[in-house]
Amino acid sequence: MGKVEDGKPYRWGRLHAAVQVLEGLAEGRTGLGLPSERKKTTSTPRNNFVILLRDMGLQLLAAREKGGDHARAAAAVVGDITELIAPEPMYGKGLNPKEIAAFHEGYEHQMGLYREKWEKLVL
């Protein structure tokens, strides 16, 4: 059996964190740990990411226009997002409890990386 870090739900949790951080950088928030309402569910990963990624271009532009650390962080986060979207189908069905736990682990892992890298931007 593989490690939880190798699974799709773990990677989707990491992707979710990256998308959330980009949204926060675009809005100029410093408290990025609180998910917006539409990000609280893991019921249909593909459907949620379709909604979240629709805004990515405008969020990138807004964060880059802020300049400085926001701009540098946004560029790095977008790079992460492109790496975290695997070149394979993402299913739209709900996650089981084990997958939800892996999703949350991946989310916390990615948020930890961002907190370490940009302590003042990501609380």
Side-chain angles (χ1 to χ4, degrees), residues 6 16 18 56 58 62-63 76 78 93-94 105 108 112 116:
D6 297 332
H16 219 144
M56 193 172 107
L58 292 175
V78 168
K93 67 177 181 129
E105 282 183 50
E108 289 303 325
E116 184 179 308

Side-chain angles (χ1 to χ4, degrees), residues 1-49:
M1 179 174 246
K3 299 184 298 187
V4 69
E5 295 86 4
D6 297 332
K8 290 179 184 182
Y10 183 87
R11 186 173 52 247
W12 295 338
R14 291 185 64 195
L15 176 59
H16 219 144
V19 171
Q20 179 181 331
V21 166
L22 180 61
E23 179 184 276
L25 291 168
E27 294 173 2
R29 285 186 277 139
T30 55
L32 303 180
L34 300 174
S36 63
E37 197 63 34
R38 65 184 176 188
K39 296 185 183 126
K40 290 183 179 178
T41 181
T42 55
S43 60
T44 54
R46 187 179 194 291
N47 296 343
N48 287 341
F49 286 121

Side-chain angles (χ1 to χ4, degrees), residues 22 25 60 63-64 69-82 118:
L22 180 61
L25 291 168
L60 174 61
R64 295 287 294 168
D69 289 340
H70 275 79
R72 285 187 287 282
V77 170
V78 168
D80 292 344
I81 290 169
T82 63
W118 304 301

Side-chain angles (χ1 to χ4, degrees), residues 70-99:
H70 275 79
R72 285 187 287 282
V77 170
V78 168
D80 292 344
I81 290 169
T82 63
E83 290 296 319
L84 290 167
I85 299 173
E88 60 190 22
M90 181 184 291
Y91 57 80
K93 67 177 181 129
L95 303 180
N96 65 42
K98 185 177 178 180
E99 291 170 324

Side-chain angles (χ1 to χ4, degrees), residues 104-121:
H104 289 296
E105 282 183 50
Y107 175 89
E108 289 303 325
H109 172 82
Q110 195 68 27
M111 288 302 290
L113 293 174
Y114 292 142
R115 286 184 186 106
E116 184 179 308
K117 211 172 197 180
W118 304 301
E119 185 177 357
K120 293 178 183 175
L121 297 177

